[in-house]
Amino acid sequence: MNTVNGSKVAGAAAVAILTAGLIAPLAVFDEEAQRALGLTLFAVVMWTARPVPVELSSLVVLLLLPATGLLDFAATFDPFARPTIWLVFSGMVLSLMLSETGLGHRLASVAQPVLTGGGPLRLFVGLHLIGLLASFLIPSGLVRVLLLMPIGISLAESLSPVRGERSPAATAAITLALLCSTYYGGCGILTGSVPNLVVTGQLEAETGRVIYWGEWLVWMFPVFGALRTALCLGVVYFVMGRGLATELGAQDRSVNAPLEPAQRRALAIIAIGIALWATDVVHGLPPVYVGLLLCVLAVLPGWGPLSMERIRGIDFPFFFYLSALFGIGEVLHATGVNDRLLGHVLSVLDFETSGGWLFQHLALTLAVIPLNFFMDVAAVGAVVTPTILQVGSAHGVSELGALFSTAMATTLVFLPYQAAPFMVALGYRAFSMRALVSLMLLISLISLILLCPFNITYWHWLGLI
């Protein structure tokens, strides 16, 4: 009853915020900026509290964008042509293939003897290593989540003492371990996170400077790849893992049975995808092209393990949410809200008069973080990178120092709507919103307080800044 009442209150608050934005009562912002802020905060409350399904509130946002004059109809729905949408679609097809063929369960059965036998700690160490390894092999957090979630759920089922059932606590702990390690740890790898590619693309557009994969690894992986994965391990184990039974279940004997024909074909498709994604610097195929190629193989008549009929079961309305995110990012940028907020935070931090390499780089990171609460972090990277580069240059911060300070900020994801992989993972209903938010807040707060200053100190120690 309390949850229902809370949802109603959140929904009413969201409508009140939207109404205030449309009325535009503030003198410090023009009417268009207030409409943009009102709509943005309406979306944030609706996506976080979820008084109605995310897809429904996202569709409302898509309708309000042209209705309020913030975007025209064509620009509002333009994101449906973006690669991100179709990369998500590809990942959904592959995820469905893992579930429908039973390959996800078989892969989980193969991993079970390696992960178990030494208690929960061994299980969580193994899960985090799998999540981090996937970041090296598959250059999209969305696709990694869509592949790892069904495997994690199947692993929870295989560890259950009762065949075919799974413990809600074990399912939540296992899937959250995979999710957090592959997303947060993947931020330390250039191809492991979309915001990484966005900020480096903006640097190249602004200055012509290209950031190479190995260069990103030196700047970011030791702290935001390796140490951050260890941080995720500690947080997930402390919050979710300590209460699990020492022996989580007997070994699944089906692991010794030969793969069925459909499972062999599904495994071949996954192997082709990993091989192509891992060698994109050689052949130059964008990740979305590889994903769509795998979709064609999956439904190829007479050979593919999926029928076209099953594709209709994909959650297409989720694309409303992704499109609404892009639309909000575009509106906040066009109305100047981003630049004003960025400038205000920098003035509060007294960036003009304060000095020191640690403060300057940390201040650039802190200036970006408030924008993370208004839109997807990939959109944040796109709109703030040029401004941060200019501010850094004006105060003696190198372009690489400014870039990687921005990159650190875009790795700090506190709430699920700030990064699409977390919203996708919620759709599996393997864990609660409260459990996910608790872990995200802990990981990102500790990263901000400890890892960001440590990473800047590491740069200074190496002579990078």
Side-chain angles (χ1 to χ4, degrees), residues 176-363:
L176 285 168
L178 290 170
L179 171 63
C180 292
S181 60
T182 202
Y183 184 86
Y184 287 116
C187 292
I189 303 161
L190 176 58
T191 52
S193 174
V194 172
N196 297 352
L197 300 172
V198 170
V199 296
T200 54
Q202 290 293 80
L203 175 70
E204 184 176 0
E206 293 290 319
T207 68
R209 176 73 158 81
V210 176
I211 299 294
Y212 293 98
W213 193 89
E215 195 171 12
W216 186 283
L217 206 71
V218 171
W219 280 79
M220 294 293 284
F221 183 75
V223 177
F224 275 84
L227 278 182
R228 205 178 196 196
T229 301
L231 169 62
C232 291
L233 169 62
V235 171
V236 175
Y237 179 71
F238 180 81
V239 175
M240 308 287 298
R242 293 182 304 159
L244 297 183
T246 303
E247 296 299 331
L248 294 171
Q251 183 173 341
D252 191 344
R253 297 181 181 275
S254 67
V255 68
N256 298 318
L259 291 175
E260 298 173 2
Q263 293 173 342
R264 289 198 296 269
R265 293 194 295 270
L267 184 60
I269 291 170
I270 296 296
I272 291 170
I274 291 175
L276 290 175
W277 279 318
T279 57
D280 59 349
V281 295
V282 177
H283 53 70
L285 283 176
V288 65
Y289 287 3
V290 175
L292 290 174
L293 171 63
L294 301 183
C295 291
V296 172
L297 294 177
V299 297
L300 195 65
W303 187 82
L306 277 181
S307 68
M308 188 60 74
E309 290 293 324
R310 293 296 301 125
I311 303 299
R312 296 176 181 173
I314 285 177
D315 184 17
F316 287 102
F318 181 76
F319 298 147
F320 295 154
Y321 164 74
L322 295 176
S323 187
L325 271 180
F326 288 120
I328 285 174
E330 179 67 27
V331 164
L332 290 175
H333 177 60
T335 56
V337 172
N338 290 332
D339 288 339
R340 293 189 64 174
L341 183 57
L342 198 60
H344 177 69
V345 175
L346 286 171
S347 66
V348 170
L349 293 172
D350 199 18
F351 193 77
E352 292 288 340
T353 59
S354 300
W357 53 268
L358 179 59
F359 171 82
Q360 285 188 322
H361 290 82
L362 191 58

Side-chain angles (χ1 to χ4, degrees), residues 348-434:
V348 170
L349 293 172
D350 199 18
F351 193 77
E352 292 288 340
T353 59
S354 300
W357 53 268
L358 179 59
F359 171 82
Q360 285 188 322
H361 290 82
L362 191 58
L364 293 176
T365 299
L366 292 172
V368 175
I369 290 173
L371 294 174
N372 291 356
F373 291 92
F374 291 95
M375 66 188 93
D376 187 281
V377 287
V380 172
V383 299
V384 306
T385 301
T387 302
I388 292 293
L389 290 174
Q390 292 172 6
V391 171
S393 176
H395 294 86
V397 178
S398 69
E399 61 184 25
L400 290 187
L403 174 87
F404 284 106
S405 296
T406 305
M408 285 197 301
T410 59
T411 72
L412 300 174
V413 181
F414 297 86
L415 296 169
Y417 70 86
Q418 295 173 331
F422 291 102
M423 295 298 287
V424 169
L426 275 169
Y428 285 89
R429 294 177 173 81
F431 43 78
S432 67
M433 171 72 86
R434 176 179 293 183

